[in-house]
Amino acid sequence: MLKKLLVLLMMPSLSWGAACVVPPESLGFLGIWPTQTLTEFSSAHKGMKILSSFDEESDSREGSLEAIDKQGKFEIIYKPIKGLDDFTVSHISFNVDKKEITSFAIMGASITDNINKEKDILISKTGIPSKLWVADSSQEQYTYLCDDYEVIVRKDDSRGELALLLKSNLSEMYNPDTSNIKEKHRFTAKQLSTNKVQNRIAAEYISYSGYNLYENDSLFRTRFNEVFLNKLKLKIDDFDMTEALDATNIINGTLATYFWQKNKYYKDTQLTVYVAYESYNNHMLVVTKDSDDNVKIYGDKDSSLISAIIKSPSFPLEIASKIYN
């Protein structure tokens, strides 16, 4: 039976409630940053008319802010961020008591086909280390949350745009509840083979894919590259499918998994790649089968690797004899 398939990009884990690694005043975009005072905002946009609005009848203590030029247009709009297309400010909120910016959002002014690249650039612009971001359960946004503020990079599926939302802890949208955030675990092949980790995966319903292993285990990644990917001039991104890893992927201490091409191709064929890996000696066996049932073998042909790959749940037994040839 095929296990749950994962084609996910997830960011590494974050210690929620931690001290912020980047001060809020360093998170400036288009002359705005969280915790910026209204005086600082006005100074950053000299020559502009600053308009604020606040509903006295509401229970909210937040109002909205705009900067208007002489033609009556919103000034902070359609400005490029280095490495990206033009971005526009979609909202600015401020606290009427402390008179400081509590939240703002910027959004790409044009539709893009390269969401991942723009997301990575936007994340890098914050200065927050990439390992401190996590993906939420919908996999459509990446979040960094600390004591003083929250930053979200979000994809708009309906238009293919990217938005960046920054909220200070004074914002009424600031949400320290992270129950909707899916933590990214960083297990290596060696850790996956232990009962402790397997029990945790089962108890916490952790989804850990072959892509996660490739990303998080440098020894596995390097060996897979040299045994297989580099030889065929392939990248891990050339495989759009893999499986969730659990106890059934550990056979007598050897890890076995597979990747395959569903919508991608290699030289007019589609590859399924079965991998067996021993973390204690860094040996790896790779068996490939293409759309025409051609089978090729790469790497180490240790008896333990052969046994593990044949016994793995998804390996087609009809090609087992070809490993020995």
Side-chain angles (χ1 to χ4, degrees):
M1 179 183 296
L2 291 179
K3 287 181 272 185
K4 181 182 178 182
L5 308 180
L6 298 177
V7 190
L8 303 178
L9 173 63
M10 297 168 62
M11 304 301 287
S13 62
L14 171 64
S15 177
W16 299 109
C20 301
V21 298
V22 175
E25 59 269 20
S26 296
L27 298 175
F29 284 84
L30 306 181
I32 322 169
W33 60 87
T35 73
Q36 181 185 31
T37 66
L38 298 193
T39 300
E40 290 171 327
F41 179 82
S42 296
S43 179
H45 303 284
K46 291 180 179 179
M48 308 303 298
K49 183 178 180 180
I50 307 302
L51 299 181
S52 62
S53 59
F54 173 64
D55 184 359
E56 297 282 357
E57 303 297 324
S58 74
D59 294 329
S60 170
R61 300 306 298 164
E62 286 187 325
S64 61
L65 202 64
E66 289 183 310
I68 304 298
D69 64 14
K70 293 180 180 179
Q71 284 73 43
K73 295 180 180 179
F74 190 24
E75 183 263 345
I76 314 169
I77 189 168
Y78 300 136
K79 284 191 173 182
I81 294 174
K82 188 174 181 181
L84 298 171
D85 292 333
D86 288 354
F87 273 71
T88 180
V89 175
S90 59
H91 90 264
I92 308 174
S93 297
F94 72 99
N95 179 273
V96 296
D97 301 311
K98 290 197 172 185
K99 293 182 171 50
E100 67 177 43
I101 306 295
T102 55
S103 70
F104 69 95
I106 60 172
M107 180 172 289
S110 61
I111 299 172
T112 177
D113 293 326
N114 201 336
I115 290 292
N116 289 331
K117 178 183 176 182
E118 296 208 355
K119 178 262 298 177
D120 290 342
I121 293 175
L122 264 186
I123 285 178
S124 72
K125 295 297 181 183
T126 66
I128 299 166
S130 60
K131 67 181 180 179
L132 297 181
W133 295 82
V134 297
D136 78 352
S137 56
S138 72
Q139 301 303 313
E140 296 300 337
Q141 71 180 37
Y142 298 86
T143 303
Y144 171 73
L145 178 65
C146 60
D147 292 336
D148 299 328
Y149 58 81
E150 179 180 5
V151 185
I152 295 174
V153 179
R154 178 181 294 157
K155 173 184 169 185
D156 182 349
D157 270 340
S158 64
R159 285 183 52 81
E161 295 173 335
L162 201 67
L164 180 71
L165 178 63
L166 298 97
K167 299 175 281 185
S168 77
N169 58 12
L170 193 60
S171 169
E172 293 170 7
M173 294 189 297
Y174 176 79
N175 180 23
D177 177 13
T178 61
S179 59
N180 67 328
I181 301 289
K182 180 179 289 185
E183 182 182 0
K184 169 64 184 298
H185 303 276
R186 298 183 63 83
F187 305 129
T188 63
K190 184 176 182 180
Q191 291 169 328
L192 280 168
S193 65
T194 65
N195 290 332
K196 180 180 179 180
V197 170
Q198 286 303 323
N199 290 339
R200 185 180 174 191
I201 286 174
E204 299 179 21
Y205 303 100
I206 295 172
S207 292
Y208 197 83
S209 75
Y211 297 128
N212 299 139
L213 178 65
Y214 181 87
E215 175 189 348
N216 296 327
D217 190 329
S218 60
L219 291 177
F220 177 90
R221 181 172 62 251
T222 299
R223 188 64 178 147
F224 191 45
N225 289 343
E226 64 185 13
V227 167
F228 175 66
L229 291 180
N230 292 348
K231 289 183 183 298
L232 275 68
K233 294 182 171 56
L234 287 165
K235 303 185 298 295
I236 193 67
D237 292 342
D238 291 318
F239 295 87
D240 49 356
M241 302 297 286
T242 187
E243 62 178 342
L245 301 177
D246 58 28
T248 62
N249 293 95
I250 311 299
I251 297 94
N252 296 324
T254 299
L255 185 145
T257 185
Y258 76 124
F259 302 83
W260 74 100
Q261 296 176 317
K262 180 180 180 180
N263 299 307
K264 297 193 176 185
Y265 292 83
Y266 172 73
K267 294 184 177 180
D268 299 323
T269 190
Q270 291 180 303
L271 294 176
T272 303
V273 179
Y274 304 94
V275 185
Y277 178 68
E278 292 174 336
S279 57
Y280 74 91
N281 60 10
N282 205 31
H283 285 192
M284 178 180 288
L285 172 66
V286 176
V287 178
T288 68
K289 183 175 78 72
D290 66 19
S291 304
D292 298 319
D293 293 329
N294 297 309
V295 176
K296 293 186 178 180
I297 315 298
Y298 303 86
D300 307 295
K301 295 182 68 173
D302 302 356
S303 59
S304 55
L305 291 171
I306 294 174
S307 176
I309 209 167
I310 291 175
K311 292 180 180 179
S312 60
S314 303
F315 188 80
L317 293 179
E318 64 271 16
I319 68 172
S321 62
K322 297 185 179 181
I323 299 178
Y324 297 96
N325 295 336

